[in-house]
Amino acid sequence: SISLVERRAITKSLISSPFAAVSFSAGHTTAIESKYDYKTTVEKTINAVKANKKATLFAVIDHGENAKKLNAEMGRGTLIIFGNPAFGASFMKEYPQAGIDLPLRIYIFEDKGKVYFSYINPTDIAKNYKGADKHEFIKGTQNMLDGMAKNIIK
């Protein structure tokens, strides 16, 4: 998995660039430049989710294509919604309000010709819930997301 030092270095470099990570009310989003083109990044991410026997792929939403259907313009972006229902349920049993943060989401987007793999860090989600940082769900999902990202970053 990506170490805390590596994650902070990536985030720091992104914040100082025009392709900064975006802050959401649910936590901090890490956006990492992909070494692949947009289509390949989306396909590799979907395949990685499907290959994880514990994960369920709930939805793939192509925001760019949906915008085109409405004659609206935006860049390319695909939201991948997935999770491990049993693992997530164990977390939501202790923190029922976490349903607003789950299931997990990865957003692949293109900006100024570069492709990014982005996700909200589970360790940041945990900050919303007292004591959640010690829950196995947070550690497990952070490691899984970091591992996926590591295979896609340059």
Side-chain angles (χ1 to χ4, degrees), residues 103-149:
L104 298 172
R105 298 169 307 278
I106 294 173
Y107 188 56
I108 309 297
F109 65 97
E110 190 172 58
D111 188 17
K112 297 180 178 66
K114 295 184 180 187
V115 177
Y116 296 90
F117 174 100
S118 63
Y119 57 96
I120 297 174
N121 292 307
T123 53
D124 288 325
I125 291 172
K127 293 174 187 173
N128 296 326
Y129 312 106
K130 187 176 181 181
D133 59 323
K134 294 173 180 52
H135 198 282
E136 188 59 36
F137 173 81
I138 297 299
K139 295 173 192 168
T141 54
Q142 186 70 59
N143 288 338
M144 187 245 337
L145 287 166
D146 288 345
M148 289 174 73

mmCIF file of all heavy atoms in Angstrom, residues 103-149:
data_model
loop_
_atom_site.group_PDB
_atom_site.id
_atom_site.type_symbol
_atom_site.label_atom_id
_atom_site.label_comp_id
_atom_site.label_asym_id
_atom_site.label_seq_id
_atom_site.Cartn_x
_atom_site.Cartn_y
_atom_site.Cartn_z
ATOM 1 N N PRO A 103 -21.494 3.321 -0.445
ATOM 2 C CA PRO A 103 -20.309 2.538 -0.754
ATOM 3 C C PRO A 103 -19.150 3.414 -1.247
ATOM 4 O O PRO A 103 -19.301 4.610 -1.453
ATOM 5 C CB PRO A 103 -20.772 1.573 -1.852
ATOM 6 C CG PRO A 103 -22.010 2.174 -2.416
ATOM 7 C CD PRO A 103 -22.585 3.083 -1.371
ATOM 8 N N LEU A 104 -18.017 2.752 -1.432
ATOM 9 C CA LEU A 104 -16.812 3.441 -1.896
ATOM 10 C C LEU A 104 -16.998 3.915 -3.329
ATOM 11 O O LEU A 104 -17.756 3.324 -4.102
ATOM 12 C CB LEU A 104 -15.605 2.506 -1.816
ATOM 13 C CG LEU A 104 -15.248 2.017 -0.416
ATOM 14 C CD1 LEU A 104 -14.177 0.944 -0.500
ATOM 15 C CD2 LEU A 104 -14.800 3.165 0.462
ATOM 16 N N ARG A 105 -16.272 4.957 -3.674
ATOM 17 C CA ARG A 105 -16.345 5.515 -5.026
ATOM 18 C C ARG A 105 -14.946 5.852 -5.521
ATOM 19 O O ARG A 105 -14.126 6.364 -4.767
ATOM 20 C CB ARG A 105 -17.205 6.782 -5.027
ATOM 21 C CG ARG A 105 -18.636 6.501 -4.617
ATOM 22 C CD ARG A 105 -19.464 7.739 -4.334
ATOM 23 N NE ARG A 105 -18.916 8.695 -3.380
ATOM 24 C CZ ARG A 105 -19.010 8.592 -2.063
ATOM 25 N NH1 ARG A 105 -19.576 7.559 -1.506
ATOM 26 N NH2 ARG A 105 -18.520 9.527 -1.276
ATOM 27 N N ILE A 106 -14.729 5.550 -6.782
ATOM 28 C CA ILE A 106 -13.515 5.983 -7.479
ATOM 29 C C ILE A 106 -14.006 6.810 -8.655
ATOM 30 O O ILE A 106 -14.942 6.420 -9.356
ATOM 31 C CB ILE A 106 -12.675 4.790 -7.973
ATOM 32 C CG1 ILE A 106 -12.121 3.999 -6.788
ATOM 33 C CG2 ILE A 106 -11.543 5.269 -8.893
ATOM 34 C CD1 ILE A 106 -11.419 2.716 -7.168
ATOM 35 N N TYR A 107 -13.382 7.952 -8.858
ATOM 36 C CA TYR A 107 -13.755 8.810 -9.985
ATOM 37 C C TYR A 107 -12.544 8.939 -10.901
ATOM 38 O O TYR A 107 -11.481 9.390 -10.476
ATOM 39 C CB TYR A 107 -14.201 10.188 -9.478
ATOM 40 C CG TYR A 107 -14.776 11.063 -10.555
ATOM 41 C CD1 TYR A 107 -15.853 10.638 -11.330
ATOM 42 C CD2 TYR A 107 -14.260 12.323 -10.810
ATOM 43 C CE1 TYR A 107 -16.390 11.445 -12.320
ATOM 44 C CE2 TYR A 107 -14.796 13.145 -11.788
ATOM 45 C CZ TYR A 107 -15.866 12.698 -12.536
ATOM 46 O OH TYR A 107 -16.399 13.502 -13.525
ATOM 47 N N ILE A 108 -12.713 8.493 -12.133
ATOM 48 C CA ILE A 108 -11.675 8.641 -13.159
ATOM 49 C C ILE A 108 -12.080 9.844 -13.993
ATOM 50 O O ILE A 108 -13.208 9.900 -14.506
ATOM 51 C CB ILE A 108 -11.600 7.389 -14.073
ATOM 52 C CG1 ILE A 108 -11.499 6.096 -13.269
ATOM 53 C CG2 ILE A 108 -10.470 7.538 -15.083
ATOM 54 C CD1 ILE A 108 -10.278 5.940 -12.430
ATOM 55 N N PHE A 109 -11.185 10.808 -14.122
ATOM 56 C CA PHE A 109 -11.528 11.983 -14.919
ATOM 57 C C PHE A 109 -10.326 12.454 -15.730
ATOM 58 O O PHE A 109 -9.184 12.118 -15.446
ATOM 59 C CB PHE A 109 -12.061 13.119 -14.028
ATOM 60 C CG PHE A 109 -11.066 13.690 -13.053
ATOM 61 C CD1 PHE A 109 -10.358 14.844 -13.352
ATOM 62 C CD2 PHE A 109 -10.870 13.092 -11.812
ATOM 63 C CE1 PHE A 109 -9.454 15.383 -12.439
ATOM 64 C CE2 PHE A 109 -9.970 13.620 -10.889
ATOM 65 C CZ PHE A 109 -9.270 14.765 -11.202
ATOM 66 N N GLU A 110 -10.638 13.220 -16.757
ATOM 67 C CA GLU A 110 -9.615 13.785 -17.629
ATOM 68 C C GLU A 110 -9.662 15.297 -17.480
ATOM 69 O O GLU A 110 -10.742 15.897 -17.474
ATOM 70 C CB GLU A 110 -9.902 13.372 -19.074
ATOM 71 C CG GLU A 110 -8.791 13.699 -20.040
ATOM 72 C CD GLU A 110 -9.047 13.093 -21.411
ATOM 73 O OE1 GLU A 110 -10.090 13.407 -22.002
ATOM 74 O OE2 GLU A 110 -8.210 12.311 -21.857
ATOM 75 N N ASP A 111 -8.486 15.891 -17.327
ATOM 76 C CA ASP A 111 -8.389 17.341 -17.194
ATOM 77 C C ASP A 111 -7.149 17.812 -17.945
ATOM 78 O O ASP A 111 -6.038 17.351 -17.657
ATOM 79 C CB ASP A 111 -8.301 17.715 -15.708
ATOM 80 C CG ASP A 111 -8.387 19.210 -15.473
ATOM 81 O OD1 ASP A 111 -8.824 19.949 -16.375
ATOM 82 O OD2 ASP A 111 -8.012 19.651 -14.364
ATOM 83 N N LYS A 112 -7.377 18.674 -18.906
ATOM 84 C CA LYS A 112 -6.278 19.234 -19.706
ATOM 85 C C LYS A 112 -5.374 18.144 -20.287
ATOM 86 O O LYS A 112 -4.157 18.246 -20.267
ATOM 87 C CB LYS A 112 -5.496 20.249 -18.892
ATOM 88 C CG LYS A 112 -6.338 21.457 -18.483
ATOM 89 C CD LYS A 112 -5.542 22.445 -17.677
ATOM 90 C CE LYS A 112 -6.328 23.665 -17.315
ATOM 91 N NZ LYS A 112 -7.447 23.476 -16.422
ATOM 92 N N GLY A 113 -5.999 17.081 -20.786
ATOM 93 C CA GLY A 113 -5.264 16.007 -21.455
ATOM 94 C C GLY A 113 -4.633 14.976 -20.535
ATOM 95 O O GLY A 113 -4.028 14.018 -21.011
ATOM 96 N N LYS A 114 -4.781 15.149 -19.234
ATOM 97 C CA LYS A 114 -4.238 14.179 -18.286
ATOM 98 C C LYS A 114 -5.393 13.428 -17.633
ATOM 99 O O LYS A 114 -6.473 13.973 -17.436
ATOM 100 C CB LYS A 114 -3.383 14.871 -17.233
ATOM 101 C CG LYS A 114 -2.140 15.506 -17.840
ATOM 102 C CD LYS A 114 -1.248 16.093 -16.790
ATOM 103 C CE LYS A 114 -0.025 16.716 -17.476
ATOM 104 N NZ LYS A 114 0.961 17.158 -16.513
ATOM 105 N N VAL A 115 -5.118 12.172 -17.279
ATOM 106 C CA VAL A 115 -6.141 11.312 -16.690
ATOM 107 C C VAL A 115 -5.808 11.089 -15.210
ATOM 108 O O VAL A 115 -4.653 10.858 -14.861
ATOM 109 C CB VAL A 115 -6.209 9.953 -17.425
ATOM 110 C CG1 VAL A 115 -7.218 9.022 -16.781
ATOM 111 C CG2 VAL A 115 -6.542 10.180 -18.894
ATOM 112 N N TYR A 116 -6.834 11.152 -14.370
ATOM 113 C CA TYR A 116 -6.654 11.015 -12.932
ATOM 114 C C TYR A 116 -7.549 9.932 -12.352
ATOM 115 O O TYR A 116 -8.685 9.750 -12.772
ATOM 116 C CB TYR A 116 -6.942 12.346 -12.216
ATOM 117 C CG TYR A 116 -5.964 13.401 -12.609
ATOM 118 C CD1 TYR A 116 -6.207 14.229 -13.694
ATOM 119 C CD2 TYR A 116 -4.769 13.552 -11.914
ATOM 120 C CE1 TYR A 116 -5.284 15.186 -14.085
ATOM 121 C CE2 TYR A 116 -3.844 14.507 -12.297
ATOM 122 C CZ TYR A 116 -4.108 15.320 -13.381
ATOM 123 O OH TYR A 116 -3.199 16.257 -13.762
ATOM 124 N N PHE A 117 -7.008 9.235 -11.373
ATOM 125 C CA PHE A 117 -7.683 8.217 -10.573
ATOM 126 C C PHE A 117 -7.882 8.877 -9.217
ATOM 127 O O PHE A 117 -6.907 9.246 -8.559
ATOM 128 C CB PHE A 117 -6.743 7.008 -10.482
ATOM 129 C CG PHE A 117 -7.192 5.895 -9.580
ATOM 130 C CD1 PHE A 117 -7.793 4.763 -10.116
ATOM 131 C CD2 PHE A 117 -6.968 5.943 -8.207
ATOM 132 C CE1 PHE A 117 -8.168 3.703 -9.294
ATOM 133 C CE2 PHE A 117 -7.340 4.889 -7.389
ATOM 134 C CZ PHE A 117 -7.944 3.769 -7.936
ATOM 135 N N SER A 118 -9.119 9.071 -8.789
ATOM 136 C CA SER A 118 -9.338 9.778 -7.526
ATOM 137 C C SER A 118 -10.295 9.020 -6.613
ATOM 138 O O SER A 118 -11.155 8.271 -7.073
ATOM 139 C CB SER A 118 -9.861 11.193 -7.795
ATOM 140 O OG SER A 118 -11.111 11.161 -8.434
ATOM 141 N N TYR A 119 -10.091 9.229 -5.323
ATOM 142 C CA TYR A 119 -10.941 8.599 -4.318
ATOM 143 C C TYR A 119 -10.832 9.369 -3.013
ATOM 144 O O TYR A 119 -9.851 10.063 -2.767
ATOM 145 C CB TYR A 119 -10.549 7.130 -4.094
ATOM 146 C CG TYR A 119 -9.115 6.896 -3.683
ATOM 147 C CD1 TYR A 119 -8.761 6.756 -2.348
ATOM 148 C CD2 TYR A 119 -8.096 6.822 -4.634
ATOM 149 C CE1 TYR A 119 -7.446 6.533 -1.967
ATOM 150 C CE2 TYR A 119 -6.779 6.599 -4.267
ATOM 151 C CZ TYR A 119 -6.458 6.458 -2.932
ATOM 152 O OH TYR A 119 -5.156 6.245 -2.562
ATOM 153 N N ILE A 120 -11.866 9.229 -2.195
ATOM 154 C CA ILE A 120 -11.833 9.821 -0.859
ATOM 155 C C ILE A 120 -11.113 8.829 0.044
ATOM 156 O O ILE A 120 -11.451 7.652 0.084
ATOM 157 C CB ILE A 120 -13.250 10.111 -0.336
ATOM 158 C CG1 ILE A 120 -13.938 11.148 -1.231
ATOM 159 C CG2 ILE A 120 -13.197 10.603 1.114
ATOM 160 C CD1 ILE A 120 -15.382 11.398 -0.890
ATOM 161 N N ASN A 121 -10.104 9.307 0.738
ATOM 162 C CA ASN A 121 -9.336 8.445 1.633
ATOM 163 C C ASN A 121 -10.199 7.962 2.790
ATOM 164 O O ASN A 121 -10.775 8.777 3.510
ATOM 165 C CB ASN A 121 -8.134 9.207 2.200
ATOM 166 C CG ASN A 121 -7.116 9.516 1.151
ATOM 167 O OD1 ASN A 121 -6.672 8.628 0.443
ATOM 168 N ND2 ASN A 121 -6.742 10.782 1.045
ATOM 169 N N PRO A 122 -10.307 6.642 2.979
ATOM 170 C CA PRO A 122 -11.066 6.136 4.137
ATOM 171 C C PRO A 122 -10.560 6.692 5.469
ATOM 172 O O PRO A 122 -11.359 6.903 6.383
ATOM 173 C CB PRO A 122 -10.875 4.622 4.043
ATOM 174 C CG PRO A 122 -10.738 4.380 2.569
ATOM 175 C CD PRO A 122 -9.902 5.554 2.089
ATOM 176 N N THR A 123 -9.269 6.963 5.576
ATOM 177 C CA THR A 123 -8.765 7.534 6.828
ATOM 178 C C THR A 123 -9.352 8.920 7.066
ATOM 179 O O THR A 123 -9.530 9.328 8.215
ATOM 180 C CB THR A 123 -7.224 7.599 6.840
ATOM 181 O OG1 THR A 123 -6.766 8.267 5.664
ATOM 182 C CG2 THR A 123 -6.615 6.213 6.906
ATOM 183 N N ASP A 124 -9.680 9.635 5.999
ATOM 184 C CA ASP A 124 -10.342 10.932 6.143
ATOM 185 C C ASP A 124 -11.826 10.756 6.446
ATOM 186 O O ASP A 124 -12.409 11.534 7.203
ATOM 187 C CB ASP A 124 -10.128 11.795 4.901
ATOM 188 C CG ASP A 124 -8.699 12.303 4.804
ATOM 189 O OD1 ASP A 124 -8.100 12.587 5.851
ATOM 190 O OD2 ASP A 124 -8.185 12.402 3.685
ATOM 191 N N ILE A 125 -12.443 9.732 5.864
ATOM 192 C CA ILE A 125 -13.840 9.430 6.196
ATOM 193 C C ILE A 125 -13.942 9.142 7.695
ATOM 194 O O ILE A 125 -14.866 9.595 8.369
ATOM 195 C CB ILE A 125 -14.364 8.236 5.367
ATOM 196 C CG1 ILE A 125 -14.494 8.628 3.889
ATOM 197 C CG2 ILE A 125 -15.699 7.727 5.917
ATOM 198 C CD1 ILE A 125 -14.817 7.464 2.960
ATOM 199 N N ALA A 126 -12.980 8.397 8.223
ATOM 200 C CA ALA A 126 -12.994 8.016 9.644
ATOM 201 C C ALA A 126 -13.002 9.228 10.565
ATOM 202 O O ALA A 126 -13.539 9.164 11.681
ATOM 203 C CB ALA A 126 -11.793 7.125 9.957
ATOM 204 N N LYS A 127 -12.436 10.342 10.110
ATOM 205 C CA LYS A 127 -12.398 11.545 10.939
ATOM 206 C C LYS A 127 -13.798 12.075 11.245
ATOM 207 O O LYS A 127 -13.980 12.833 12.190
ATOM 208 C CB LYS A 127 -11.555 12.629 10.269
ATOM 209 C CG LYS A 127 -10.086 12.276 10.190
ATOM 210 C CD LYS A 127 -9.307 13.309 9.389
ATOM 211 C CE LYS A 127 -7.871 12.850 9.182
ATOM 212 N NZ LYS A 127 -7.142 13.744 8.265
ATOM 213 N N ASN A 128 -14.777 11.661 10.437
ATOM 214 C CA ASN A 128 -16.152 12.100 10.650
ATOM 215 C C ASN A 128 -16.847 11.331 11.778
ATOM 216 O O ASN A 128 -17.943 11.705 12.186
ATOM 217 C CB ASN A 128 -16.971 11.931 9.365
ATOM 218 C CG ASN A 128 -16.466 12.816 8.247
ATOM 219 O OD1 ASN A 128 -16.004 13.923 8.478
ATOM 220 N ND2 ASN A 128 -16.547 12.319 7.032
ATOM 221 N N TYR A 129 -16.224 10.241 12.240
ATOM 222 C CA TYR A 129 -16.865 9.358 13.203
ATOM 223 C C TYR A 129 -15.903 9.027 14.338
ATOM 224 O O TYR A 129 -14.868 8.393 14.115
ATOM 225 C CB TYR A 129 -17.336 8.067 12.502
ATOM 226 C CG TYR A 129 -18.081 8.373 11.226
ATOM 227 C CD1 TYR A 129 -17.488 8.163 9.987
ATOM 228 C CD2 TYR A 129 -19.355 8.923 11.267
ATOM 229 C CE1 TYR A 129 -18.153 8.480 8.821
ATOM 230 C CE2 TYR A 129 -20.028 9.248 10.099
ATOM 231 C CZ TYR A 129 -19.428 9.021 8.883
ATOM 232 O OH TYR A 129 -20.084 9.346 7.726
ATOM 233 N N LYS A 130 -16.248 9.435 15.544
ATOM 234 C CA LYS A 130 -15.383 9.265 16.710
ATOM 235 C C LYS A 130 -14.979 7.804 16.894
ATOM 236 O O LYS A 130 -15.815 6.920 16.981
ATOM 237 C CB LYS A 130 -16.091 9.773 17.959
ATOM 238 C CG LYS A 130 -15.209 9.791 19.172
ATOM 239 C CD LYS A 130 -15.903 10.385 20.361
ATOM 240 C CE LYS A 130 -14.950 10.404 21.539
ATOM 241 N NZ LYS A 130 -15.594 10.943 22.716
ATOM 242 N N GLY A 131 -13.675 7.556 16.924
ATOM 243 C CA GLY A 131 -13.125 6.229 17.150
ATOM 244 C C GLY A 131 -13.051 5.352 15.906
ATOM 245 O O GLY A 131 -12.514 4.255 15.955
ATOM 246 N N ALA A 132 -13.571 5.831 14.775
ATOM 247 C CA ALA A 132 -13.619 5.007 13.558
ATOM 248 C C ALA A 132 -12.245 4.730 12.978
ATOM 249 O O ALA A 132 -12.069 3.749 12.250
ATOM 250 C CB ALA A 132 -14.503 5.675 12.508
ATOM 251 N N ASP A 133 -11.270 5.563 13.289
ATOM 252 C CA ASP A 133 -9.928 5.377 12.732
ATOM 253 C C ASP A 133 -9.296 4.050 13.148
ATOM 254 O O ASP A 133 -8.388 3.565 12.484
ATOM 255 C CB ASP A 133 -9.009 6.540 13.113
ATOM 256 C CG ASP A 133 -8.870 6.723 14.616
ATOM 257 O OD1 ASP A 133 -9.872 6.534 15.339
ATOM 258 O OD2 ASP A 133 -7.764 7.059 15.063
ATOM 259 N N LYS A 134 -9.806 3.436 14.197
ATOM 260 C CA LYS A 134 -9.268 2.159 14.667
ATOM 261 C C LYS A 134 -10.021 0.962 14.081
ATOM 262 O O LYS A 134 -9.635 -0.181 14.296
ATOM 263 C CB LYS A 134 -9.304 2.116 16.190
ATOM 264 C CG LYS A 134 -8.372 3.146 16.810
ATOM 265 C CD LYS A 134 -8.549 3.199 18.323
ATOM 266 C CE LYS A 134 -7.648 4.192 18.988
ATOM 267 N NZ LYS A 134 -7.653 5.522 18.465
ATOM 268 N N HIS A 135 -11.090 1.226 13.357
ATOM 269 C CA HIS A 135 -11.915 0.141 12.810
ATOM 270 C C HIS A 135 -11.191 -0.550 11.650
ATOM 271 O O HIS A 135 -10.576 0.104 10.807
ATOM 272 C CB HIS A 135 -13.257 0.698 12.325
ATOM 273 C CG HIS A 135 -14.309 -0.341 12.161
ATOM 274 N ND1 HIS A 135 -14.344 -1.188 11.079
ATOM 275 C CD2 HIS A 135 -15.355 -0.669 12.945
ATOM 276 C CE1 HIS A 135 -15.378 -1.991 11.207
ATOM 277 N NE2 HIS A 135 -16.008 -1.695 12.329
ATOM 278 N N GLU A 136 -11.254 -1.869 11.612
ATOM 279 C CA GLU A 136 -10.585 -2.659 10.571
ATOM 280 C C GLU A 136 -11.062 -2.273 9.163
ATOM 281 O O GLU A 136 -10.298 -2.328 8.206
ATOM 282 C CB GLU A 136 -10.821 -4.154 10.817
ATOM 283 C CG GLU A 136 -10.023 -5.050 9.908
ATOM 284 C CD GLU A 136 -8.504 -4.854 9.999
ATOM 285 O OE1 GLU A 136 -7.993 -4.585 11.096
ATOM 286 O OE2 GLU A 136 -7.836 -4.973 8.954
ATOM 287 N N PHE A 137 -12.306 -1.844 9.026
ATOM 288 C CA PHE A 137 -12.840 -1.428 7.732
ATOM 289 C C PHE A 137 -12.013 -0.284 7.151
ATOM 290 O O PHE A 137 -11.692 -0.275 5.960
ATOM 291 C CB PHE A 137 -14.308 -0.996 7.881
ATOM 292 C CG PHE A 137 -14.880 -0.385 6.630
ATOM 293 C CD1 PHE A 137 -15.342 -1.195 5.603
ATOM 294 C CD2 PHE A 137 -14.958 0.989 6.476
ATOM 295 C CE1 PHE A 137 -15.858 -0.637 4.435
ATOM 296 C CE2 PHE A 137 -15.476 1.552 5.330
ATOM 297 C CZ PHE A 137 -15.931 0.734 4.298
ATOM 298 N N ILE A 138 -11.680 0.678 7.973
ATOM 299 C CA ILE A 138 -10.917 1.845 7.508
ATOM 300 C C ILE A 138 -9.538 1.418 7.026
ATOM 301 O O ILE A 138 -9.107 1.777 5.931
ATOM 302 C CB ILE A 138 -10.817 2.919 8.614
ATOM 303 C CG1 ILE A 138 -12.215 3.458 8.969
ATOM 304 C CG2 ILE A 138 -9.871 4.039 8.217
ATOM 305 C CD1 ILE A 138 -12.952 4.129 7.807
ATOM 306 N N LYS A 139 -8.847 0.626 7.819
ATOM 307 C CA LYS A 139 -7.508 0.167 7.440
ATOM 308 C C LYS A 139 -7.562 -0.683 6.173
ATOM 309 O O LYS A 139 -6.750 -0.524 5.261
ATOM 310 C CB LYS A 139 -6.882 -0.635 8.580
ATOM 311 C CG LYS A 139 -6.616 0.170 9.827
ATOM 312 C CD LYS A 139 -6.155 -0.725 10.964
ATOM 313 C CE LYS A 139 -6.179 0.038 12.269
ATOM 314 N NZ LYS A 139 -6.009 -0.858 13.405
ATOM 315 N N GLY A 140 -8.514 -1.598 6.112
ATOM 316 C CA GLY A 140 -8.623 -2.499 4.963
ATOM 317 C C GLY A 140 -8.956 -1.783 3.672
ATOM 318 O O GLY A 140 -8.349 -2.050 2.628
ATOM 319 N N THR A 141 -9.905 -0.859 3.735
ATOM 320 C CA THR A 141 -10.285 -0.153 2.501
ATOM 321 C C THR A 141 -9.204 0.830 2.073
ATOM 322 O O THR A 141 -8.984 1.015 0.872
ATOM 323 C CB THR A 141 -11.644 0.559 2.636
ATOM 324 O OG1 THR A 141 -11.623 1.413 3.774
ATOM 325 C CG2 THR A 141 -12.780 -0.434 2.760
ATOM 326 N N GLN A 142 -8.516 1.452 3.040
ATOM 327 C CA GLN A 142 -7.414 2.359 2.672
ATOM 328 C C GLN A 142 -6.328 1.580 1.943
ATOM 329 O O GLN A 142 -5.838 2.013 0.897
ATOM 330 C CB GLN A 142 -6.835 3.048 3.907
ATOM 331 C CG GLN A 142 -5.783 4.102 3.578
ATOM 332 C CD GLN A 142 -6.390 5.324 2.916
ATOM 333 O OE1 GLN A 142 -7.260 5.966 3.489
ATOM 334 N NE2 GLN A 142 -5.948 5.650 1.719
ATOM 335 N N ASN A 143 -5.966 0.415 2.469
ATOM 336 C CA ASN A 143 -4.939 -0.413 1.830
ATOM 337 C C ASN A 143 -5.375 -0.863 0.433
ATOM 338 O O ASN A 143 -4.575 -0.870 -0.498
ATOM 339 C CB ASN A 143 -4.603 -1.625 2.693
ATOM 340 C CG ASN A 143 -3.829 -1.248 3.932
ATOM 341 O OD1 ASN A 143 -3.195 -0.201 3.996
ATOM 342 N ND2 ASN A 143 -3.891 -2.093 4.936
ATOM 343 N N MET A 144 -6.644 -1.249 0.289
ATOM 344 C CA MET A 144 -7.143 -1.700 -1.006
ATOM 345 C C MET A 144 -7.114 -0.566 -2.041
ATOM 346 O O MET A 144 -6.631 -0.744 -3.154
ATOM 347 C CB MET A 144 -8.569 -2.244 -0.852
ATOM 348 C CG MET A 144 -9.112 -2.887 -2.100
ATOM 349 S SD MET A 144 -10.524 -2.066 -2.879
ATOM 350 C CE MET A 144 -11.307 -1.108 -1.656
ATOM 351 N N LEU A 145 -7.612 0.606 -1.662
ATOM 352 C CA LEU A 145 -7.624 1.748 -2.584
ATOM 353 C C LEU A 145 -6.200 2.186 -2.939
ATOM 354 O O LEU A 145 -5.906 2.490 -4.092
ATOM 355 C CB LEU A 145 -8.423 2.912 -2.005
ATOM 356 C CG LEU A 145 -9.935 2.717 -2.003
ATOM 357 C CD1 LEU A 145 -10.604 3.752 -1.122
ATOM 358 C CD2 LEU A 145 -10.492 2.771 -3.417
ATOM 359 N N ASP A 146 -5.330 2.240 -1.944
ATOM 360 C CA ASP A 146 -3.938 2.607 -2.203
ATOM 361 C C ASP A 146 -3.275 1.611 -3.159
ATOM 362 O O ASP A 146 -2.510 1.999 -4.042
ATOM 363 C CB ASP A 146 -3.131 2.678 -0.911
ATOM 364 C CG ASP A 146 -3.477 3.890 -0.053
ATOM 365 O OD1 ASP A 146 -4.133 4.829 -0.562
ATOM 366 O OD2 ASP A 146 -3.089 3.884 1.126
ATOM 367 N N GLY A 147 -3.576 0.327 -2.981
ATOM 368 C CA GLY A 147 -3.013 -0.696 -3.862
ATOM 369 C C GLY A 147 -3.498 -0.530 -5.286
ATOM 370 O O GLY A 147 -2.710 -0.655 -6.238
ATOM 371 N N MET A 148 -4.792 -0.240 -5.455
ATOM 372 C CA MET A 148 -5.324 -0.004 -6.805
ATOM 373 C C MET A 148 -4.638 1.213 -7.429
ATOM 374 O O MET A 148 -4.254 1.194 -8.584
ATOM 375 C CB MET A 148 -6.837 0.186 -6.764
ATOM 376 C CG MET A 148 -7.613 -1.089 -6.456
ATOM 377 S SD MET A 148 -9.377 -0.788 -6.245
ATOM 378 C CE MET A 148 -9.871 -0.476 -7.922
ATOM 379 N N ALA A 149 -4.515 2.275 -6.638
ATOM 380 C CA ALA A 149 -3.915 3.516 -7.137
ATOM 381 C C ALA A 149 -2.466 3.279 -7.545
ATOM 382 O O ALA A 149 -2.017 3.799 -8.568
ATOM 383 C CB ALA A 149 -4.001 4.607 -6.078
#
